Amino acid sequence: PQARLSKIAQICKGKKTCKHEVQANSKDENTADKGCGAPHPDVLRAGLNFKVKYPPPKEGDDADSEGVNPNMVGEREMFAEEAHEVLSRISNADCEKLGLDPRFA
């Protein structure tokens, strides 16, 4: 399980925005769907705490900066309730792919 989680973490490290891979047809290759476009933060461990650091908005996104969630800007501490909310959205199938038992995860 540790090697599998390390590989998954390595693959996910470069993903900075929400995108989904959708397989259109068996003839076509995978095509990227835009997804919601939300920025993915870097998660940093500081002692026993976790911090999330969101990438700065792009220069072309200044017009949309009014609609940006203030919790998704800069660096801040990640609380246990927020981590539980994120982790509880992992499907049972994805838990099994990660090598975890969904009954206990």
Side-chain angles (χ1 to χ4, degrees):
Q2 183 66 32
R4 184 183 305 169
L5 288 174
S6 295
K7 285 282 191 186
I8 291 171
Q10 185 179 15
I11 292 169
C12 295
K13 196 174 201 177
K15 309 293 183 193
K16 297 298 179 187
T17 57
C18 178
K19 293 180 184 174
H20 302 283
E21 293 289 326
V22 179
Q23 190 169 358
N25 291 331
S26 58
K27 297 176 184 177
D28 297 332
E29 295 181 13
N30 286 349
T31 57
D33 181 19
K34 276 191 158 183
C36 70
H40 287 210
D42 291 327
V43 179
L44 313 168
R45 194 171 84 197
L48 296 176
N49 299 325
F50 287 96
K51 291 188 176 196
V52 290
K53 183 177 181 182
Y54 286 92
K58 295 179 183 175
E59 292 180 21
D61 293 343
D62 290 338
D64 295 333
S65 62
E66 297 173 1
V68 174
N69 184 342
N71 289 333
M72 296 176 72
V73 177
E75 186 176 324
R76 64 179 177 79
E77 187 173 347
M78 183 178 202
F79 296 103
E81 296 86 13
E82 183 180 1
H84 181 265
E85 180 184 327
V86 170
L87 295 174
S88 65
R89 287 187 253 157
I90 298 174
S91 69
N92 288 346
D94 288 341
C95 277
E96 291 173 0
K97 289 177 186 175
L98 290 169
L100 304 172
D101 188 344
R103 295 176 296 166
F104 303 111

